[in-house]
Amino acid sequence: MKIILGILLPPLGVFLAYGFSSTLLINIGLTLLGWVPGIIHAVWAISKQQDK
């Protein structure tokens, strides 16, 4: 579910996985620069967090 949200709304998916953190701020910046970089970072960050 988090990965689907990471694709549709990247900052929301990252927020659900990490809460308010530097990862969220990076994702917001990347999403503002372009939707695709935000999606790529969100999917990567969420999958990295799920591996732990």
Side-chain angles (χ1 to χ4, degrees):
M1 186 66 176
K2 290 179 189 174
I3 293 195
I4 293 170
L5 284 173
I7 293 170
L8 297 175
L9 297 168
L12 180 60
V14 173
F15 176 75
L16 291 175
Y18 287 90
F20 189 76
S21 66
S22 61
T23 305
L24 175 63
L25 296 176
I26 291 169
N27 188 265
I28 290 171
L30 287 171
T31 302
L32 290 174
L33 290 174
W35 194 258
V36 175
I39 291 172
I40 292 169
H41 178 262
V43 171
W44 174 78
I46 292 168
S47 64
K48 183 178 127 183
Q49 191 262 346
Q50 288 178 349
D51 287 345
K52 290 182 179 182

Coordinates of all heavy atoms in Angstrom, one line a residue:
M1 N 0.8 -1.2 0.0 CA 0.0 0.0 0.0 C 0.9 1.3 0.0 O 0.5 2.2 -0.7 CB -0.9 0.0 1.2 CG -1.9 1.1 1.3 SD -3.0 0.8 -0.1 CE -4.2 2.1 0.2
K2 N 2.0 1.2 0.8 CA 2.8 2.4 0.8 C 3.5 2.7 -0.5 O 3.7 3.8 -0.9 CB 3.9 2.2 1.9 CG 3.4 2.2 3.3 CD 4.6 2.0 4.2 CE 4.1 1.8 5.6 NZ 5.2 1.4 6.6
I3 N 3.8 1.6 -1.3 CA 4.4 1.8 -2.6 C 3.4 2.4 -3.6 O 3.8 3.3 -4.4 CB 5.0 0.5 -3.1 CG1 6.2 0.1 -2.2 CG2 5.4 0.6 -4.6 CD1 7.1 -1.0 -2.7
I4 N 2.2 2.0 -3.5 CA 1.2 2.6 -4.4 C 1.0 4.1 -4.0 O 1.0 4.9 -4.9 CB -0.2 1.9 -4.2 CG1 -0.1 0.5 -4.7 CG2 -1.3 2.6 -4.9 CD1 -1.2 -0.4 -4.5
L5 N 1.0 4.4 -2.8 CA 1.0 5.8 -2.4 C 2.3 6.6 -2.8 O 2.2 7.7 -3.1 CB 0.8 6.0 -0.9 CG -0.7 5.7 -0.4 CD1 -0.7 5.8 1.1 CD2 -1.6 6.8 -0.9
G6 N 3.4 5.8 -2.8 CA 4.6 6.4 -3.2 C 4.6 6.8 -4.7 O 5.3 7.7 -5.1
I7 N 3.8 6.1 -5.5 CA 3.7 6.4 -6.9 C 2.7 7.5 -7.1 O 3.0 8.4 -7.9 CB 3.4 5.1 -7.7 CG1 4.5 4.1 -7.6 CG2 3.0 5.4 -9.1 CD1 4.2 2.7 -8.1
L8 N 1.6 7.4 -6.4 CA 0.6 8.5 -6.6 C 0.9 9.8 -6.0 O 0.8 10.8 -6.6 CB -0.8 7.9 -6.1 CG -1.3 6.7 -6.8 CD1 -2.6 6.2 -6.2 CD2 -1.6 7.0 -8.3
L9 N 1.3 9.7 -4.7 CA 1.7 10.9 -3.9 C 3.0 10.6 -3.2 O 3.0 10.2 -2.1 CB 0.6 11.3 -2.9 CG -0.8 11.6 -3.5 CD1 -1.8 11.6 -2.4 CD2 -0.7 13.0 -4.2
P10 N 4.1 10.8 -3.9 CA 5.4 10.4 -3.3 C 5.7 10.9 -1.9 O 6.1 10.1 -1.0 CB 6.4 11.0 -4.3 CG 5.7 11.1 -5.6 CD 4.3 11.4 -5.2
P11 N 5.4 12.2 -1.5 CA 5.7 12.6 -0.2 C 4.9 11.9 0.9 O 5.3 11.6 2.0 CB 5.5 14.1 -0.2 CG 5.7 14.5 -1.6 CD 5.2 13.4 -2.4
L12 N 3.6 11.6 0.5 CA 2.8 10.9 1.5 C 3.3 9.5 1.8 O 3.3 9.0 2.9 CB 1.3 10.8 1.0 CG 0.3 10.2 1.9 CD1 0.2 10.8 3.2 CD2 -1.0 10.1 1.2
G13 N 3.7 8.8 0.7 CA 4.2 7.4 0.9 C 5.5 7.4 1.8 O 5.6 6.6 2.7
V14 N 6.3 8.4 1.6 CA 7.6 8.5 2.4 C 7.2 8.9 3.8 O 7.8 8.4 4.8 CB 8.6 9.5 1.7 CG1 9.7 9.7 2.7 CG2 9.0 9.0 0.4
F15 N 6.3 9.8 4.0 CA 5.8 10.2 5.3 C 5.3 9.0 6.1 O 5.6 8.8 7.3 CB 4.8 11.3 5.3 CG 4.3 11.7 6.6 CD1 5.1 12.5 7.5 CD2 3.0 11.3 7.0 CE1 4.6 12.8 8.7 CE2 2.5 11.6 8.3 CZ 3.3 12.4 9.1
L16 N 4.5 8.2 5.5 CA 4.0 7.0 6.2 C 5.1 6.0 6.6 O 4.9 5.3 7.5 CB 2.9 6.3 5.3 CG 1.6 7.1 5.1 CD1 0.7 6.4 4.2 CD2 0.9 7.4 6.4
A17 N 6.1 5.9 5.8 CA 7.2 5.0 6.0 C 8.2 5.5 7.1 O 8.7 4.8 7.9 CB 7.9 4.7 4.8
Y18 N 8.5 6.9 7.0 CA 9.6 7.4 7.8 C 9.1 8.5 8.8 O 9.8 8.8 9.7 CB 10.6 8.1 6.9 CG 11.5 7.1 6.2 CD1 11.2 6.6 5.0 CD2 12.7 6.7 6.8 CE1 12.0 5.7 4.3 CE2 13.5 5.8 6.1 CZ 13.1 5.3 4.9 OH 13.9 4.4 4.2
G19 N 7.9 9.0 8.7 CA 7.5 10.1 9.5 C 8.2 11.4 9.0 O 8.7 11.4 7.9
F20 N 8.2 12.4 9.9 CA 8.8 13.7 9.5 C 10.3 13.5 9.7 O 10.8 13.4 10.8 CB 8.3 14.8 10.3 CG 8.8 16.2 9.8 CD1 8.2 16.7 8.7 CD2 9.8 16.8 10.5 CE1 8.7 17.9 8.2 CE2 10.2 18.0 10.0 CZ 9.7 18.6 8.9
S21 N 11.1 13.4 8.6 CA 12.5 13.2 8.6 C 13.2 13.9 7.5 O 12.5 14.5 6.6 CB 12.8 11.7 8.6 OG 12.4 11.1 7.4
S22 N 14.5 13.7 7.4 CA 15.2 14.3 6.3 C 14.9 13.6 5.0 O 14.9 14.2 3.9 CB 16.8 14.2 6.6 OG 17.1 12.9 6.7
T23 N 14.5 12.3 5.1 CA 14.1 11.6 3.9 C 12.9 12.2 3.3 O 12.8 12.4 2.0 CB 13.9 10.1 4.2 OG1 15.0 9.6 4.8 CG2 13.6 9.3 2.9
L24 N 11.9 12.6 4.1 CA 10.7 13.3 3.6 C 11.1 14.6 3.0 O 10.5 14.9 1.9 CB 9.7 13.5 4.8 CG 8.5 14.3 4.4 CD1 7.6 13.5 3.4 CD2 7.7 14.5 5.7
L25 N 11.9 15.4 3.6 CA 12.3 16.7 3.0 C 13.0 16.5 1.7 O 12.8 17.3 0.7 CB 13.2 17.5 4.0 CG 12.5 17.8 5.3 CD1 13.5 18.5 6.2 CD2 11.3 18.7 5.1
I26 N 13.9 15.5 1.5 CA 14.5 15.3 0.3 C 13.5 14.9 -0.8 O 13.5 15.4 -1.9 CB 15.6 14.1 0.4 CG1 16.7 14.6 1.3 CG2 16.0 13.6 -0.9 CD1 17.7 13.5 1.7
N27 N 12.5 14.1 -0.4 CA 11.5 13.6 -1.3 C 10.6 14.8 -1.8 O 10.2 14.9 -2.9 CB 10.6 12.5 -0.8 CG 9.7 12.0 -1.8 OD1 8.5 12.4 -1.9 ND2 10.2 11.1 -2.6
I28 N 10.3 15.7 -0.9 CA 9.5 16.9 -1.2 C 10.2 17.7 -2.2 O 9.7 18.2 -3.2 CB 9.1 17.7 0.0 CG1 8.1 16.9 0.9 CG2 8.5 19.0 -0.4 CD1 7.8 17.5 2.2
G29 N 11.5 17.9 -2.0 CA 12.4 18.7 -2.9 C 12.4 18.0 -4.3 O 12.3 18.7 -5.3
L30 N 12.6 16.7 -4.3 CA 12.7 16.0 -5.6 C 11.3 16.1 -6.3 O 11.3 16.2 -7.6 CB 13.1 14.6 -5.4 CG 14.6 14.4 -5.1 CD1 14.9 13.0 -4.7 CD2 15.5 14.8 -6.3
T31 N 10.3 16.0 -5.6 CA 8.9 16.0 -6.2 C 8.7 17.4 -6.8 O 8.0 17.5 -7.8 CB 7.8 15.6 -5.2 OG1 8.1 14.3 -4.7 CG2 6.5 15.6 -5.8
L32 N 9.1 18.4 -6.1 CA 9.0 19.8 -6.6 C 9.8 20.0 -7.9 O 9.4 20.8 -8.8 CB 9.3 20.8 -5.6 CG 8.4 20.9 -4.4 CD1 8.9 21.9 -3.4 CD2 7.0 21.4 -4.9
L33 N 10.9 19.3 -8.0 CA 11.8 19.5 -9.2 C 11.2 18.7 -10.4 O 11.4 19.1 -11.5 CB 13.2 18.9 -8.9 CG 14.0 19.8 -8.0 CD1 15.3 19.1 -7.7 CD2 14.3 21.2 -8.7
G34 N 10.5 17.7 -10.1 CA 9.8 16.9 -11.1 C 9.1 15.7 -10.5 O 9.6 15.1 -9.5
W35 N 8.0 15.3 -11.0 CA 7.2 14.2 -10.5 C 8.0 12.9 -10.5 O 8.0 12.1 -9.5 CB 5.9 14.0 -11.3 CG 4.9 13.2 -10.6 CD1 4.6 11.9 -10.9 CD2 4.1 13.6 -9.5 NE1 3.7 11.4 -10.0 CE2 3.3 12.4 -9.2 CE3 4.0 14.7 -8.8 CZ2 2.4 12.5 -8.1 CZ3 3.0 14.7 -7.7 CH2 2.3 13.6 -7.4
V36 N 8.7 12.6 -11.6 CA 9.4 11.3 -11.7 C 10.5 11.1 -10.7 O 10.6 10.0 -10.1 CB 9.9 11.1 -13.2 CG1 10.7 9.8 -13.3 CG2 8.7 11.0 -14.1
P37 N 11.4 12.1 -10.5 CA 12.4 11.9 -9.5 C 11.8 11.7 -8.1 O 12.3 10.9 -7.3 CB 13.2 13.2 -9.5 CG 13.0 13.8 -10.8 CD 11.6 13.4 -11.2
G38 N 10.7 12.3 -7.8 CA 10.0 12.1 -6.5 C 9.5 10.7 -6.4 O 9.6 10.0 -5.3
I39 N 9.0 10.1 -7.5 CA 8.5 8.8 -7.5 C 9.6 7.8 -7.3 O 9.5 6.8 -6.5 CB 7.7 8.5 -8.8 CG1 6.4 9.3 -8.8 CG2 7.4 7.0 -8.9 CD1 5.6 9.2 -10.1
I40 N 10.7 8.0 -8.0 CA 11.8 7.1 -7.9 C 12.4 7.1 -6.5 O 12.6 6.0 -6.0 CB 12.9 7.5 -9.0 CG1 12.4 7.2 -10.4 CG2 14.2 6.7 -8.7 CD1 13.3 7.8 -11.5
H41 N 12.6 8.2 -5.9 CA 13.1 8.3 -4.6 C 12.1 7.7 -3.6 O 12.5 7.0 -2.7 CB 13.4 9.8 -4.2 CG 13.9 9.9 -2.8 ND1 13.0 10.2 -1.8 CD2 15.1 9.7 -2.3 CE1 13.7 10.3 -0.6 NE2 15.0 10.0 -0.9
A42 N 10.8 7.9 -3.8 CA 9.8 7.4 -2.8 C 9.8 5.8 -2.9 O 9.9 5.2 -1.8 CB 8.5 7.9 -3.1
V43 N 9.8 5.3 -4.1 CA 9.8 3.8 -4.2 C 11.1 3.2 -3.6 O 11.1 2.2 -2.9 CB 9.6 3.4 -5.6 CG1 9.8 1.9 -5.8 CG2 8.2 3.8 -6.1
W44 N 12.2 3.9 -3.9 CA 13.5 3.4 -3.4 C 13.5 3.5 -1.8 O 13.9 2.5 -1.1 CB 14.6 4.2 -3.9 CG 15.9 3.9 -3.3 CD1 16.7 2.8 -3.6 CD2 16.6 4.6 -2.3 NE1 17.9 2.8 -2.8 CE2 17.8 3.9 -2.0 CE3 16.3 5.8 -1.6 CZ2 18.7 4.4 -1.1 CZ3 17.2 6.2 -0.7 CH2 18.4 5.5 -0.4
A45 N 13.1 4.6 -1.3 CA 13.1 4.8 0.2 C 12.2 3.8 0.9 O 12.5 3.2 1.9 CB 12.8 6.2 0.5
I46 N 11.0 3.6 0.3 CA 10.0 2.7 1.0 C 10.5 1.3 0.9 O 10.4 0.6 1.9 CB 8.6 2.9 0.3 CG1 8.0 4.3 0.6 CG2 7.7 1.8 0.8 CD1 6.8 4.7 -0.2
S47 N 11.0 0.9 -0.2 CA 11.5 -0.5 -0.3 C 12.7 -0.7 0.6 O 12.9 -1.8 1.2 CB 11.8 -0.9 -1.8 OG 12.9 -0.1 -2.3
K48 N 13.6 0.3 0.7 CA 14.7 0.2 1.6 C 14.3 0.1 3.1 O 14.8 -0.7 3.8 CB 15.6 1.4 1.5 CG 16.9 1.4 2.3 CD 17.7 2.7 2.0 CE 18.0 3.3 3.3 NZ 18.7 4.6 3.2
Q49 N 13.3 0.8 3.5 CA 12.7 0.8 4.8 C 12.1 -0.6 5.1 O 12.2 -1.1 6.2 CB 11.7 1.9 5.0 CG 11.3 2.1 6.5 CD 10.0 1.5 6.8 OE1 9.2 1.1 6.0 NE2 9.8 1.4 8.1
Q50 N 11.4 -1.2 4.1 CA 10.8 -2.5 4.3 C 11.8 -3.6 4.4 O 11.4 -4.6 5.0 CB 9.8 -2.7 3.2 CG 8.6 -1.8 3.2 CD 7.6 -2.1 2.0 OE1 8.0 -2.8 1.1 NE2 6.4 -1.5 2.1
D51 N 13.0 -3.4 3.9 CA 14.0 -4.5 4.0 C 14.5 -4.6 5.4 O 15.1 -5.7 5.7 CB 15.2 -4.1 3.1 CG 14.9 -4.4 1.6 OD1 13.8 -5.0 1.3 OD2 15.6 -3.8 0.7
K52 N 14.4 -3.6 6.2 CA 14.9 -3.7 7.6 C 14.2 -4.6 8.5 O 13.1 -5.0 8.5 CB 14.9 -2.3 8.2 CG 16.0 -1.4 7.6 CD 15.9 -0.1 8.3 CE 17.0 0.8 7.7 NZ 17.1 2.1 8.4

